[in-house]
Amino acid sequence: MGSGKFTALNGIDLTFGKGEFTGIIGPSGSGKTTLLNIIGTLDVPSEGSALILGQSVANLTPASSAALRKSKLGFIFQSYNLFQVHTVFENVEFPLLLQGIETAKRRQMVLDALEWVGLTDKIKSRPAQLSGGESQRVAIARAMVKRPAVVLADEPTANLDAANSHNILQTMEKLNRELQTTFLFATHDEKVISYVRRKIFLFDGKVARDEIIDKN
Amino acid sequence: MMAFNLAFRNLLGAGLRTWLNVIVLSFSFVIIIWTKGLLQGWDRQARHDMIKWEIGGGQYWHASYDPYDPFTLSDSHGAIPEGLAAIASDTSIVPVLIAQGTIFPAGRMQSVLIKGIPPEQKILALPTEKLVSADNDIPAIIGSSMAENTRLGEGDYVTLRWRDRNGTFDATEIRIAGLFETTVPTVDVGQVWIPLEKLREMMLLPGEATVLIAGELTGEVSVTDEWVFKDHKTLLADIEQIIKAKGSMGVIIWGILLLLAMLAVFDTQVFSIFRRQKEIGTYVALGMTRGEVVKLFTIEGAMNSVLAAAVGAIYGIPLLTLQAVNGISIPVKSSDYGLAMAEKLYPVYSIGLIAGTVLIVMLVTTIVSYWPSRKIARLNPTEALRGRMQ
């Protein structure tokens, strides 16, 4: 029990470019998720500044940060966070509904996204009927369907076995290359680390190392 | 529209929990409409029967007449004003003379109101044609409740005692010429109807009356210092007050039902907000503002009442229509209630009643749904995403 302030991130100075496939790596409590939440405009730094797609997080109103998340940011969560009462199709359709995209176009975009992740045969299934790998692929389709500029993935493989982890990582890598979407992973999973092209090691809220891997 | 679609999906997806709420809420809809329809039907039937049997198109009362004070009866009579006398002659106005008396059926003594009415009158539904008699006796008609209390039947004779205008006691035999069935106790219980002219003779009050019952009013109402006109609003005020008072029990019952239904909705909302923290966080992460999430949960809760209206309509419409057509048998006698109540009541379900009830229940459900949903606006989305209780 303590009453003092906890500093999750300290002295961070990072820039992410278009089309990056980056891992923010560190043990639990190192500040990975906090960093991802700030980039995702779900949290605001108590000090310092964060610019997301040219906009200062601190200056965003609740409506403008929601608008930014709605159109430019995609999220993938460790436990998938799918809507249990919706079908696969409806889950993927949700971000497009929020954007008010018209039905025919919406349908095509959802089918495209499901094709990217190889789940066109599961459109009528409910999340409870899917395996962990399939659920995470639905989550990827939901994050990608609106063609966001940045996808933030918090421990996306934590609940998956090795085969499924590689499968979804390959899917994300492919989407990253084809659509030039920036992927930022918060992870300490070696499998994810083996895929990323930039590794940012966080320790006690500070950047311990920032490495760019040449995979060519 | 998106919020409505989403709320509808979520609601149906919640399965049994939704349907339990919906069924409880639908009971509230149907019972509120049923009790109110019953009261409206009762009110309409009572008004209709009172007009038909007692009130007519309205009444002129002698200025001294007070139906609740029998001591006024000895003075509350007078000659029919000239203007009204002309109308009275063509039976558009029925003069009624009222006096106190006593009858002695089977050796018992019972106070009665003696009411003199022209046998040829056509305004009230009383079978006054039975008061026409070629013999020298005094024919009388009484209601079935009176007949049951006094054990008198058609053709029976009974001694009637009265005091004339000078205070002199006199007595004679009257013949029960007919019985009538009515739902209006005020023309039945403790009443003996005899021909007007006979009563005038007995009371030594030629050409006088206590009450003048009008037919359909077509022209101006004549008023004098001695005669006061009482319209339907005044004459039916008592019965409406009684029905309102009896209706308060119905209000309590449907209030309790509504409260139970609202508790179920409120409880579900509170439970939802705690159980669906991750979902709320995900909505925010995907681009909804917290205000939009509050709206979504409020609509979801309020939609319980929309589904309840639909479910209530499925079983309520046939059930209530059946009752409106066939009526509801009342197991107690109307006289026990002290007002006009038929053996069968036909509930009246107006569009206003149904629409009003649906709107009220929807409004209350929306408020009850919004109340706990406000908590969402204070949730931290990052904590919500992890499913942490806040």
Side-chain angles (χ1 to χ4, degrees), chain A residues 33 37 42-43 62-63 66-67 69-70 75 77 79 81 83 85-86 90 93-95 97-98 142 146, chain B residues 2 5-6 9-10 13-14 278-279 281-290 292 380-382 385-386:
Chain A
T33 302
N37 285 338
L42 292 171
D43 217 342
R69 290 193 297 273
K70 197 188 297 186
F75 289 85
F77 305 99
S79 49
N81 289 29
F83 303 128
V85 298
H86 295 192
E90 289 163 350
E93 185 189 28
F94 186 80
L97 274 173
L98 289 184
R142 183 176 67 182
K146 60 191 173 190
Chain B
M2 192 265 302
N5 283 337
L6 201 57
R9 277 183 200 170
N10 288 345
K278 243 185 197 179
E279 188 183 327
T282 310
Y283 285 135
V284 174
L286 294 182
M288 284 177 92
T289 61
R290 279 180 281 193
E292 284 171 331
N380 179 342
T382 59
L385 273 170
R386 294 176 193 171

Side-chain angles (χ1 to χ4, degrees), chain B residues 1 4 27 62 75 88 92 96 120 179 269:
Chain B
M1 199 61 202
F4 281 94
F27 285 150
H62 187 272
D75 299 320
S92 298
V96 174
E120 65 280 6
L179 306 177
Q269 286 293 93

Side-chain angles (χ1 to χ4, degrees), chain B residues 193-208:
Chain B
W193 296 83
I194 64 173
L196 176 65
E197 286 309 321
K198 283 282 182 195
L199 185 58
R200 282 172 169 168
E201 274 173 38
M202 287 155 61
M203 295 295 295
L204 309 176
L205 295 169
E208 296 203 6

Side-chain angles (χ1 to χ4, degrees), chain A residues 12 21 31 79 81-82 84 118 127 135 145-146 155 188 202 209:
Chain A
I12 299 272
F21 203 66
S79 49
N81 289 29
L82 299 179
Q84 296 300 313
S135 294
V145 71
K146 60 191 173 190
E155 306 278 10
H188 54 245
L202 284 188
R209 213 162 70 228

Side-chain angles (χ1 to χ4, degrees), chain B residues 175-191:
Chain B
R175 176 174 56 86
I176 305 301
L179 306 177
F180 57 86
E181 285 282 346
T182 180
T183 60
V184 184
T186 43
V187 298
D188 179 346
V189 181
Q191 321 266 316

